[in-house]
């Protein structure tokens, strides 16, 4: 996961002590369990105790960057990024399980990185030198680029091996559902050799809506973009997030990276707004979750073919030229028709996919009410801040 090229004169500034097999002492003030991931910004050290999940190291450094980069006027992002043939850059914000790694690995676009980036005055760069992908159900038909990247030099986590072929069993959940593979960027055939690119043309917020009420794609105004960025809606789906309930529950993670933020979410929101305005970037909300019902009650996962087709339309500009209407409740703008063979018009409005309209409105309440309360809290905070000025 580290950047492998040796940098002349480079001196490491942070040290990671990974003692995951040793436990923290929960009797120490400030600790509530035997697991502790701590960062000391004065001594430039990170200490990991009580967890052997490899992701703690990379997320620790992401937290460090969320502290350091704003001080230099740069925006740190929990996001993936890729680049088109014309140099157009797309950034994908999203929490675990929303599709950052899968969707950024596009055979028609160059991969910049799958999880951690910084947007500077010159463009974007990848913090890491590799990718950390979910492995459960990985197959060459749906995710060839990632499947093909799992070869000598890659590392598998929480996976088991088939006894006859000694190959990884990507369908075995016996250890846990959160199986992972880590591999260097150069294992992706069309990854950029130097993971640096220009300013984003499109910003995409990914959400895994487990209630089946979010559109597959929505266009966001700048005001709506700031609200959805600061709230960071998705759903905790069983098997994706540690401690998730048996039924999906709405969750809001500010800036799509709540656990890693060091400053108030509105600080990063303001940075994003300024950069989007300066570089005239479009913003979209893409649902990679469910349609026709909740995840646990008959809903169907959004087809990867549908999502990729909509992303292709965003990249070539054809989606922007479609007619849009407002989807009631959240100020989202949804296309009426996209005239694409892989995207039936009925799926563009979530309500059309539900046979039971009463159940649709009940499911809508699951996220509309907490979203409304967050909207009020966000507005009050902004007014207080404006009053102080």
């Amino acid at each position: 996961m580290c950047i492998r090229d040796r940098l002349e004169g480079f001196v490491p500034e942070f040290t990671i002590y990974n003692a995951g097999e040793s436990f923290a002492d929960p009797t120490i003030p400030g600790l509530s369990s035997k697991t502790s991931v701590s960062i000391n910004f004065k001594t430039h050290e990170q200490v990991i105790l009580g967890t052997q999940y490899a992701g703690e190291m990379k997320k620790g450094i992401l937290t460090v960057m969320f502290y350091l980069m704003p001080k230099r006027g740069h925006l740190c992002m929990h996001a993936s990024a890729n680049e088109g043939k014309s140099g157009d850059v797309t950034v994908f914000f999203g929490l675990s399980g929303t599709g950052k790694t899968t969707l950024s690995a596009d055979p028609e676009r160059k991969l910049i990185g799958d999880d951690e980036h910084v947007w500077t005055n010159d463009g974007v760069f990848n913090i890491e030198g590799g990718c950390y992908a979910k492995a459960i159900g990985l197959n060459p038909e749906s995710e060839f680029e990632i499947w093909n990247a799992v070869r000598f030099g890659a590392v598998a986590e929480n996976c088991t091996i088939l006894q006859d072929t000694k190959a990884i069993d990507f369908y075995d959940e016996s250890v846990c559902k959160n199986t992972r593979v880590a591999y260097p960027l150069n294992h992706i055939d069309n990854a950029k050799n130097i993971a640096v690119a220009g300013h984003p043309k499109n910003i995409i917020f990914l959400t895994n809506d487990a209630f089946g009420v979010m559109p597959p794609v929505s266009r966001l105004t700048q005001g709506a973009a700031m609200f959805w960025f600061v709230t960071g809606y998705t759903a905790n789906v069983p098997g994706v997030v540690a401690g998730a309930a048996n039924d999906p529950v709405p969750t809001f993670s500010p800036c799509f990276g709540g656990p890693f933020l060091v400053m108030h979410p509105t600080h990063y929101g303001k940075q994003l707004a300024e950069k989007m305005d300066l570089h005239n970037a479009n913003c979209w909300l893409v649902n990679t979750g469910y349609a026709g019902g909740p995840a646990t009650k008959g809903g169907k996962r959004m087809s990867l073919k549908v999502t990729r087709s909509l992303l292709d339309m965003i990249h070539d500009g054809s989606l922007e030229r479609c007619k849009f209407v407002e989807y009631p409740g959240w100020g989202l703008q949804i296309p009426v028709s996209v005239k694409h063979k892989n995207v039936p018009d009925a799926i563009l409005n979530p309500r059309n996919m539900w046979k039971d309209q009463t159940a649709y409105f009940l499911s809508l309440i699951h996220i509309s009410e907490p979203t409304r309360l967050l909207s009020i809290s966000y507005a009050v905070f902004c007014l207080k801040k404006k009053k102080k000025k």
Side-chain angles (χ1 to χ4, degrees), residues 91-152:
V91 170
F92 302 83
F93 285 92
L95 297 171
S96 181
T98 57
K100 291 194 307 298
T101 299
T102 298
L103 297 175
S104 59
D106 187 327
E108 300 301 319
R109 299 172 65 83
K110 287 189 175 296
L111 176 68
I112 303 169
D114 81 321
D115 195 51
E116 304 175 5
H117 291 80
V118 175
W119 189 350
T120 72
N121 295 331
D122 299 316
V124 299
F125 72 84
N126 186 1
I127 296 172
E128 305 175 292
C131 301
Y132 189 58
K134 280 186 166 53
I136 195 69
L138 185 63
N139 65 81
E141 286 72 34
S142 62
E143 298 177 271
F144 177 78
E145 288 76 25
I146 298 173
W147 179 84
N148 189 51
V150 185
R151 52 183 188 267
F152 184 78

Side-chain angles (χ1 to χ4, degrees), residues 247-270:
D247 291 320
V249 293
T251 183
F252 300 89
S253 186
C255 309
F256 298 94
F260 322 119
L261 304 185
V262 180
M263 301 177 184
H264 194 279
T266 54
H267 182 90
Y268 304 104
K270 182 181 178 182

Side-chain angles (χ1 to χ4, degrees), residues 266-267 380-389:
T266 54
H267 182 90
V380 170
F381 175 84
C382 291
L383 286 172
K384 285 183 177 178
K385 195 170 183 180
K386 188 175 182 180
K387 201 171 183 180
K388 285 181 179 179
K389 291 180 179 181

Side-chain angles (χ1 to χ4, degrees), residues 5 36 55 61 70 73 89 105 135 179 193 216 252 284 322 372:
D5 296 335
S36 170
I61 296 304
V89 174
T179 57
N193 292 328
F252 300 89
W284 309 84
C322 292
R372 183 184 70 82

Side-chain angles (χ1 to χ4, degrees), residues 186-304:
N186 59 17
H187 276 208
I188 297 291
D189 291 338
N190 62 339
K192 295 200 70 173
N193 292 328
I194 300 177
V196 177
H199 296 289
K201 179 180 179 181
N202 288 292
I203 303 295
I204 295 175
F205 299 153
L206 298 172
T207 182
N208 178 7
D209 171 38
F211 297 95
V213 296
M214 296 294 287
V217 66
S218 309
R219 184 176 62 184
L220 302 179
T221 63
Q222 188 181 82
M226 289 309 96
F227 172 74
W228 286 100
F229 180 65
V230 171
T231 55
Y233 166 70
T234 191
N236 274 353
V237 182
V240 174
V241 178
N246 291 327
D247 291 320
V249 293
T251 183
F252 300 89
S253 186
C255 309
F256 298 94
F260 322 119
L261 304 185
V262 180
M263 301 177 184
H264 194 279
T266 54
H267 182 90
Y268 304 104
K270 182 181 178 182
Q271 281 189 299
L272 180 62
E274 291 173 347
K275 287 184 177 295
M276 285 177 56
D277 186 55
L278 180 62
H279 301 288
N280 197 30
N282 300 315
C283 192
W284 309 84
L285 180 66
V286 171
N287 175 26
T288 60
Y290 292 77
T296 55
K297 297 180 180 179
K300 302 296 182 183
R301 189 74 192 257
M302 201 70 66
S303 165
L304 185 57

